[in-house]
Amino acid sequence: MQSQILPSRAALVDRIALQFEYGQNLIVLLGTSGLGKSYLLETFITDKYNDFNKAFVQVGAQMTDVQLMTQLLEQSFNAPLIDHNLSLSQNYYQLAKQQQCGACLWVIDGGRHLSEELIAELELLSKSAPNVLYIMIASQSKLPFKEAVNIHLEPLNLVESKQLMGWYFTALPYDEDPVFKTFLVEAQGNPSLLLAWQPSEQVADIIVKDKVSWRLQLLTLLLIIMLLIIGVVYKADMTQWWKNANRQSDEQVLTTAITTEQAIQNKQQPVKSPTLFTSPQPITKEPTTDERAHNDVPAIVGSLTEPSTLTEQEKPAPPPVEEEAISVPEVVKQQSQIIKIPSNWYLEQPEDNFVIQLLAVTQQQVGNEFIAEHKLESITNTYQTKRNGKIWWVVTTGSFANLNEAKQALQALPAGVRKNKPFYKKISKIKQEIARVDQ
């Protein structure tokens, strides 16, 4: 007996055997590709009619009628002498007269490759064979038999689909996983598609659809244009300010030099006092005003450094405050820092703990808006991972010792968050995803 068979398939095997016992000698099993017709035929011929002479033949596109006839007769009779000039039924009648072969069971897989002559021969033998002969044929489409019983092989339901996958895969995702649930629905109970599941590539990521992405891009473009305009205006204002400052500085230097010259002249004037004798004074050339202003550099520098020497009107105006140029980048910077990336927090958690994945996005701004909208800053953690060459921001909540605690916490989340279908994930899986960033 084969190792494993689903309950619905086992019931179908019993139904086919019951049809033979009721006197129907020719049965055609119909079903689309991948439903497991070959597996069911092998199960039937292995489990049923153990005292029969059994023949199992897989018909291909390259197999001829003579080859098929030869295989059927050689598996039913003991060293038969087959005349290739005779038909299948004629050879069968002659061999049945020569030796007693007993009851026979013929199982043919690939009925769509049968020719019309062989179909007629098989139907003739099922009616007039000299001994008991059961014929079972599997085909993807209906065959031109006149009195055969057609039994349809139905797809698996969801329960048996998961049961079949559980036999071949050691660890399947939870039922709440949206990707796994969608895979089961799209497979439509086809065993061939179900067994094509690839756990390493099927990753459940809830991606919030960015319905306003074009608006966000437009806003970003406008912000860049505004910053450029502010930069150009600021540069023009600064150029004008420096020109005004230099002109005022030149006027201030000239005014200060004239004031200093006058002070020096007043200081050097002789004090008139009564004297009896006056001695001749040496004639010295007094420096001109321009020479004094040019040569008395320390006095000029001192006068420039003293704030008392400048009036309010002579002081250069302060540069304009760059509030607009600074405020916009600061806002963007503060918004981009809403999502923190404390990957070390996950590395410190036990690998058997669970978290609830709320969000996985490739645009950090979308994650910022999601957390701010639902006020999740105090209960969420975030890590980065790499998939298909892109950096992803994944937002999770909690660290739960078992799945029951995680399920209770999931029910307590806001309705707007549960609408995105969050699911559970192990810390061990998250540590593997964090390690991808360094690869």
Side-chain angles (χ1 to χ4, degrees):
M1 182 177 180
Q2 290 188 332
S3 58
Q4 294 170 322
I5 185 171
L6 296 171
S8 63
R9 298 305 193 248
L12 184 57
V13 169
D14 295 337
R15 177 186 169 191
I16 295 173
L18 189 62
Q19 289 287 337
F20 283 135
E21 293 174 4
Y22 282 163
Q24 181 62 46
N25 294 344
L26 179 60
I27 296 178
V28 179
L29 181 65
L30 298 176
T32 58
S33 178
L35 286 182
K37 298 186 297 297
S38 300
Y39 188 85
L40 190 140
L41 292 180
E42 293 175 3
T43 302
F44 181 82
I45 198 172
T46 303
D47 296 351
K48 302 296 181 181
Y49 305 108
N50 294 328
D51 54 342
F52 279 43
N53 291 326
K54 301 178 180 180
F56 183 84
V57 181
Q58 286 185 328
V59 183
Q62 305 299 327
M63 180 176 286
T64 63
D65 292 352
V66 175
Q67 292 174 339
L68 176 59
M69 177 181 66
T70 302
Q71 291 192 27
L72 289 174
L73 295 177
E74 286 180 349
Q75 296 182 44
S76 301
F77 296 93
N78 185 17
L81 295 177
I82 302 172
D83 188 352
H84 292 171
N85 295 322
L86 301 178
S87 64
L88 174 62
S89 59
Q90 292 172 346
N91 277 289
Y92 188 88
Y93 293 146
Q94 289 186 2
L95 293 174
K97 292 179 182 178
Q98 296 173 7
Q99 55 180 295
Q100 297 295 328
C101 65
C104 295
L105 172 63
W106 289 357
V107 177
I108 301 175
D109 189 11
R112 64 191 181 95
H113 298 294
L114 294 175
S115 64
E116 295 182 359
E117 292 79 7
L118 267 179
I119 289 177
E121 290 292 316
L122 292 172
E123 190 166 24
L124 177 62
L125 283 175
S126 66
K127 294 178 181 179
S128 60
N131 58 339
V132 177
L133 176 61
Y134 294 157
I135 302 175
M136 182 177 177
I137 305 173
S139 177
Q140 294 183 10
S141 58
K142 190 175 181 180
L143 300 177
F145 289 108
K146 297 180 181 179
E147 299 181 2
V149 174
N150 294 322
I151 297 179
H152 293 269
L153 185 61
E154 300 296 335
L156 303 177
N157 54 32
L158 286 178
V159 175
E160 289 192 339
S161 296
K162 290 188 287 187
Q163 182 179 355
L164 176 65
M165 295 184 69
W167 292 345
Y168 292 90
F169 300 100
T170 55
L172 291 176
Y174 298 104
D175 294 342
E176 294 82 359
D177 191 325
V179 172
F180 181 61
K181 185 183 298 184
T182 303
F183 174 80
L184 290 177
V185 174
E186 294 298 328
Q188 297 180 353
N190 191 311
S192 179
L193 297 178
L194 292 171
L195 298 182
W197 167 264
Q198 296 181 0
S200 60
E201 297 182 2
Q202 302 291 343
V203 181
D205 293 325
I206 301 176
I207 302 176
V208 178
K209 293 182 179 179
D210 190 4
K211 297 182 180 179
V212 294
S213 59
W214 64 273
R215 298 179 182 175
L216 182 60
Q217 294 175 359
L218 180 60
L219 180 61
T220 305
L221 180 61
L222 292 177
L223 180 61
I224 294 174
I225 295 175
M226 184 177 66
L227 291 176
L228 291 175
I229 294 174
I230 292 175
V232 172
V233 174
Y234 174 74
K235 182 177 180 181
D237 290 343
M238 287 298 298
T239 303
Q240 185 65 29
W241 179 82
W242 278 112
K243 290 181 179 179
N244 295 336
N246 291 334
R247 184 172 63 254
Q248 293 177 0
S249 177
D250 294 340
E251 295 175 355
Q252 177 184 344
V253 170
L254 181 59
T255 304
T256 305
I258 295 174
T259 305
T260 304
E261 182 200 7
Q262 293 176 354
I264 293 174
Q265 289 178 353
N266 295 333
K267 184 177 181 180
Q268 291 180 354
Q269 287 180 357
V271 178
K272 294 181 179 182
S273 58
T275 55
L276 297 175
F277 299 98
T278 59
S279 60
Q281 298 293 332
I283 300 173
T284 59
K285 182 181 180 181
E286 292 292 333
T288 63
T289 303
D290 292 338
E291 290 177 350
R292 291 178 182 272
H294 177 73
N295 295 330
D296 199 358
V297 176
I300 295 175
V301 173
S303 64
L304 289 176
T305 57
E306 294 179 1
S308 59
T309 60
L310 297 179
T311 64
E312 292 297 329
Q313 297 179 351
E314 295 173 344
K315 291 183 181 179
V321 179
E322 306 174 23
E323 294 182 356
E324 293 296 329
I326 297 177
S327 61
V328 175
E330 288 296 330
V331 171
V332 176
K333 182 177 180 182
Q334 291 175 4
Q335 292 180 353
S336 64
Q337 292 178 350
I338 292 178
I339 292 185
K340 299 181 180 179
I341 313 299
S343 299
N344 293 334
W345 181 87
Y346 294 94
L347 301 179
E348 296 171 357
Q349 302 301 311
E351 293 190 353
D352 294 332
N353 279 21
F354 293 84
V355 299
I356 302 175
Q357 179 169 319
L358 305 180
L359 185 69
V361 292
T362 57
Q363 297 181 8
Q364 188 177 7
Q365 181 64 24
V366 177
N368 295 348
E369 297 174 356
F370 179 82
I371 291 179
E373 177 183 357
H374 300 286
K375 300 179 180 179
L376 303 175
E377 293 86 350
S378 61
I379 63 171
T380 55
N381 293 286
T382 308
Y383 67 92
Q384 284 184 346
T385 185
K386 182 184 290 184
R387 295 174 188 155
N388 299 326
K390 294 183 179 180
I391 296 299
W392 291 74
W393 284 266
V394 183
V395 182
T396 66
T397 181
S399 178
F400 310 100
N402 52 61
L403 191 58
N404 291 332
E405 294 182 3
K407 290 183 177 180
Q408 294 177 1
L410 177 60
Q411 298 301 324
L413 290 174
V417 178
R418 294 199 308 271
K419 182 173 63 177
N420 287 328
K421 297 182 180 179
F423 61 96
Y424 317 112
K425 183 179 286 188
K426 271 194 173 182
I427 293 293
S428 59
K429 178 67 175 179
I430 293 178
K431 292 182 179 180
Q432 296 176 4
E433 295 182 358
I434 294 175
R436 296 178 188 171
V437 179
D438 299 331
Q439 295 179 356

